[in-house]
């Protein structure tokens, strides 16, 4: 029997869909999983593609069934399960083989794994895969980091299975170890901010404008045909119009308002903090999920303060649309700023234009304006999106609406942590004369930390009075 071109270990939804996607493109795929029942299930449901799979429960047989130099995609739960899987596979792999880790790994783990495997002569690619279940099956966005040689070995298959935007593959090598998973982490940070801002707007429509989910759905559908066109706006319309079969009620009204999180949004905010980059929209989104989880406490707090008023929001749907647009630009600006700084710190040389290009299709944050964003970053790699000419125009046209929405939200007690963070970021970034002069004075007062005077050279100190 001829050998497989690639192996896939880990056949939960994402792994099995990736394997089916690879087989669909004509490649022979070796399959394995910790429990054999998943392999059986996969073979039973593979239909015509079953002939392209070589299933094996035993790891030795699985590895041997792959052509050398072997490439094995592992798609298991992030963290310890990845290390245990690598350890087990290593017993059977040989120098020159490679592991492609395609889960939502912490980028620092990918850096460590890259070094550990390199010491044993095994290649490692840490690959961010976005697009959820459907993406994995029919074309995800693929963000690779690791050794360039390993990328070249796997490039043909990863490019073939990726999403295509106007025929261009949404898969790319982004830099050395850790780069791929870092970019995926920031993708998810932007995803969190984008989702949260949409949810904030939904909250205003529901509680401030008294709209039903079905009415909101119609608005999101309309917005999806304009500048907000994106996958997340599209699925928002679909989620809002879904009806629970049992009760006939809008499904969204029955879904408990506690958001889960697997960690990538938080990692994104932590990375930004570590790098000293403002990521307030992402932080706002992570914090909003944390508050959402406190359902019982929120119920108790509402009984203390009383229910906020409803039906009072002084804002129009047009303003909400524009506010969302401005907020999204701020969130992307922050996400790209984090990547720019991380790239400098880690020597990754992250190609920001390419990243925007491979996010144009396949991934969860795909949206109409990523093409424009790609062009902006290709023209000027270092630019903050807020001052990229194409986006300046959009911000000029939409920031007043964002300001109105945030102001009306504050007056109506609608929590808008992400939209208000976006506005504060915009206002802080565009203001030449800030207030950090006072911070510097305070720091020098209590800690002699020093400051720079605008009319003198060198570090200075104030002659502060004693407070004793
Ligand atoms: C993607 C998604 C995917 C997954 C998130 C969900 O790009 O395909 O981001 O990776 O849906 O991990 O993350 P939370 O559970 O943290 O919302």
């Amino acid at each position: 029997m001829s050998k497989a071109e690639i192996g896939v270990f880990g056949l939960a939804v994402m792994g099995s869909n990736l394997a089916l996607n690879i087989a669909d493109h004509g490649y022979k795929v070796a399959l394995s999983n910790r429990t054999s029942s998943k392999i059986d299930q996969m073979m039973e449901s593979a239909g015509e593609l079953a002939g392209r799979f070589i299933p094996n429960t035993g790891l030795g047989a699985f590895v041997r069934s792959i052509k050398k130099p072997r490439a094995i995609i592992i798609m298991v739960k992030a963290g310890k399960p990845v290390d245990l899987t690598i350890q087990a596979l290593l017993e059977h792999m040989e120098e020159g083989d490679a592991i492609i880790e395609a889960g939502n790994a912490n980028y620092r783990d990918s850096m460590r794994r890259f070094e550990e495997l390199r010491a044993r002569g095994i290649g490692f690619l840490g690959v961010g895969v976005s697009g959820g279940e459907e993406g994995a099956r029919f074309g995800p966005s693929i963000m690779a980091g690791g050794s360039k040689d390993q990328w070249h070995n796997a490039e043909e298959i990863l490019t073939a299975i990726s999403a295509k935007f106007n025929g261009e593959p949404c898969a790319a090598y982004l830099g050395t170890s850790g780069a791929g998973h870092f970019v995926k982490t920031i993708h998810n940070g932007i995803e969190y901010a984008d989702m949260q801002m949409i949810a904030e707007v939904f909250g205003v429509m529901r509680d401030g404008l008294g709209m039903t989910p079905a009415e909101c759905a119609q608005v999101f559908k309309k917005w999806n045909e304009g500048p907000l066109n994106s996958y997340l706006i599209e699925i928002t319309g679909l989620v809002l119009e879904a009806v629970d079969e049992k009760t006939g009620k809008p499904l969204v009204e029955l879904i408990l308002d506690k958001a889960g999180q697997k960690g990538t949004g938080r990692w994104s905010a932590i990375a930004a903090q570590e790098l000293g980059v403002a990521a307030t929209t992402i932080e706002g989104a992570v914090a909003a999920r944390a508050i959402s989880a406190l359902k019982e406490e929120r119920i108790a707090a509402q009984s203390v303060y009383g229910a906020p008023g409803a039906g009072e929001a002084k804002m129009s749907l047009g303003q909400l649309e524009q506010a969302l647009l401005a907020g999204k630009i701020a969130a992307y600006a922050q996400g790209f700023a984090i990547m720019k700084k991380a790239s400098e710190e880690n020597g990754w040389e992250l190609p920001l234009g390419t990243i925007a290009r491979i996010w144009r299709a396949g991934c969860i944050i795909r949206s109409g304006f990523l093409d424009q964003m790609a062009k902006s970053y290709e023209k000027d790699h270092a630019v903050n999106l807020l001052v990229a000419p194409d986006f300046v125009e959009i911000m000029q046209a939409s920031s007043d609406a964002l300001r109105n929405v945030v102001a009306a939200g504050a007056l109506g007690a609608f929590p808008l942590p992400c939209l208000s963070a976006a506005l504060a970021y915009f206002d802080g970034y565009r203001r030449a004369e800030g207030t950090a002069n006072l911070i510097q004075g305070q720091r020098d007062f209590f800690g002699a930390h020093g400051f720079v005077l605008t009319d003198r050279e060198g570090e200075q100190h104030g002659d502060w009075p004693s407070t004793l």
Side-chain angles (χ1 to χ4, degrees):
M1 193 203 237
S2 68
K3 298 211 170 197
E5 273 113 321
I6 196 160
V8 175
F9 183 94
L11 300 176
V13 189
M14 290 296 283
S16 53
N17 278 356
L18 265 189
L20 288 164
N21 186 355
I22 300 171
D24 236 356
H25 284 83
Y27 299 100
K28 200 155 202 175
V29 188
L31 300 178
S32 194
N33 190 70
R34 196 173 54 82
T35 53
S36 59
S37 57
K38 276 257 170 1
I39 309 179
D40 298 340
Q41 270 169 29
M42 164 109 194
M43 290 305 287
E44 276 161 29
S45 62
E48 286 178 356
L49 294 176
R52 300 212 177 120
F53 292 133
I54 310 177
N56 264 303
T57 320
L59 281 189
F62 165 65
V63 172
R64 283 192 300 277
S65 70
I66 306 165
K67 260 186 216 157
K68 289 189 201 173
R70 304 178 181 102
I72 299 177
I73 295 180
I74 57 175
M75 194 55 134
V76 297
K77 207 163 176 272
K80 193 121 206 219
V82 174
D83 287 311
L84 293 175
T85 304
I86 293 177
Q87 236 170 47
L89 284 171
L90 277 182
E91 284 177 31
H92 308 280
M93 295 177 78
E94 293 169 54
E95 241 183 271
D97 291 348
I99 283 180
I100 302 174
E101 207 277 286
N104 265 339
N106 186 309
Y107 77 102
R108 289 195 204 282
D109 283 338
S110 293
M111 291 169 104
R112 169 180 57 79
R113 288 171 187 141
F114 177 88
E115 292 304 335
E116 285 170 3
L117 289 175
R118 186 159 67 168
R120 303 185 57 156
I122 305 284
F124 181 82
L125 273 187
V127 173
V129 175
S130 177
E133 296 173 19
E134 251 184 56
R137 177 65 185 87
F138 299 107
S141 168
I142 295 180
M143 301 150 242
S147 92
K148 210 159 193 171
D149 290 348
Q150 290 309 335
W151 166 251
H152 288 316
N153 290 341
E155 186 176 2
E156 184 192 309
I157 293 179
L158 296 182
T159 302
I161 65 163
S162 73
K164 309 289 177 302
F165 180 87
N166 291 342
E168 273 183 57
C170 292
Y173 173 79
L174 302 175
T176 56
S177 77
H181 277 130
F182 186 83
V183 171
K184 175 64 182 18
T185 299
I186 302 306
H187 165 283
N188 280 29
I190 298 172
E191 172 186 304
Y192 269 51
D194 209 343
M195 290 168 74
Q196 173 62 26
M197 287 190 282
I198 293 172
E200 289 172 16
V201 165
F202 163 62
V204 172
M205 288 175 172
R206 183 190 64 187
D207 303 328
L209 302 177
M211 292 169 65
T212 63
E215 287 166 346
C216 298
Q218 289 316 311
V219 173
F220 280 104
K221 286 188 165 195
K222 192 165 147 252
W223 287 355
N224 197 38
E225 284 157 20
L228 281 176
N229 167 263
S230 62
Y231 174 72
L232 284 172
I233 293 285
E234 180 191 349
I235 65 161
T236 300
L238 296 172
V239 170
L240 287 169
E241 75 180 358
V243 170
D244 172 52
E245 274 184 22
K246 196 168 152 202
T247 59
K249 288 186 179 169
L251 184 61
V252 73
E253 286 183 351
L254 294 171
I255 299 177
L256 182 65
D257 63 335
K258 278 169 120 172
Q261 49 178 324
K262 295 205 196 74
T264 41
R266 192 182 315 137
W267 292 346
S268 190
I270 291 171
Q273 287 286 348
E274 284 173 349
L275 291 160
V277 178
T280 48
T281 57
I282 298 169
E283 288 162 6
V286 177
R289 288 199 191 191
I291 294 176
S292 84
L294 307 175
K295 180 73 177 173
E296 292 71 23
E297 288 184 40
R298 287 189 285 118
I299 293 172
Q302 177 161 314
S303 71
V304 173
Y305 288 101
E312 286 300 319
K314 290 197 175 30
M315 53 187 114
S316 66
L317 288 173
Q319 281 177 327
L320 283 173
E321 181 185 19
Q322 290 302 308
L324 207 41
L325 191 60
K328 268 180 80 133
I329 292 171
Y332 276 83
Q334 293 186 343
F336 276 93
I338 306 170
M339 290 192 286
K340 181 171 155 252
K341 187 73 186 294
S343 181
E344 288 157 13
E345 298 270 314
N346 294 294
W348 281 328
E349 295 181 15
L350 292 179
L352 300 185
T354 303
I355 293 168
R357 275 201 288 113
I358 63 170
W359 285 353
R360 289 177 303 176
C363 70
I364 302 294
I365 63 170
R366 59 186 183 262
S367 77
F369 72 10
L370 269 163
D371 194 36
Q372 211 171 343
M373 223 175 263
K375 287 179 187 132
S376 293
Y377 283 115
E378 266 153 13
K379 235 182 270 159
D380 179 0
H381 175 86
V383 78
N384 181 304
L385 217 50
L386 292 181
V387 288
D390 284 0
F391 289 91
V392 168
E393 257 177 58
I394 306 176
M395 285 307 286
Q396 273 167 344
S398 60
S399 58
D400 280 352
L402 177 61
R403 190 174 309 289
N404 280 323
V405 166
V406 170
L411 291 172
F414 301 107
L416 305 176
C418 254
L419 288 171
S420 58
L423 179 66
Y425 176 65
F426 173 65
D427 284 340
Y429 190 78
R430 64 174 230 166
R431 181 173 282 271
E433 187 73 35
T435 54
N437 45 351
L438 179 59
I439 306 279
Q440 286 300 78
Q442 292 163 332
R443 289 177 72 243
D444 191 61
F445 191 110
F446 60 68
H449 295 296
F451 46 73
V452 172
L453 291 174
T454 51
D455 63 352
R456 261 154 270 189
E457 289 293 311
E459 190 179 77
Q460 313 287 332
H461 291 284
D463 183 16
W464 309 113
S466 167
T467 53
L468 292 177

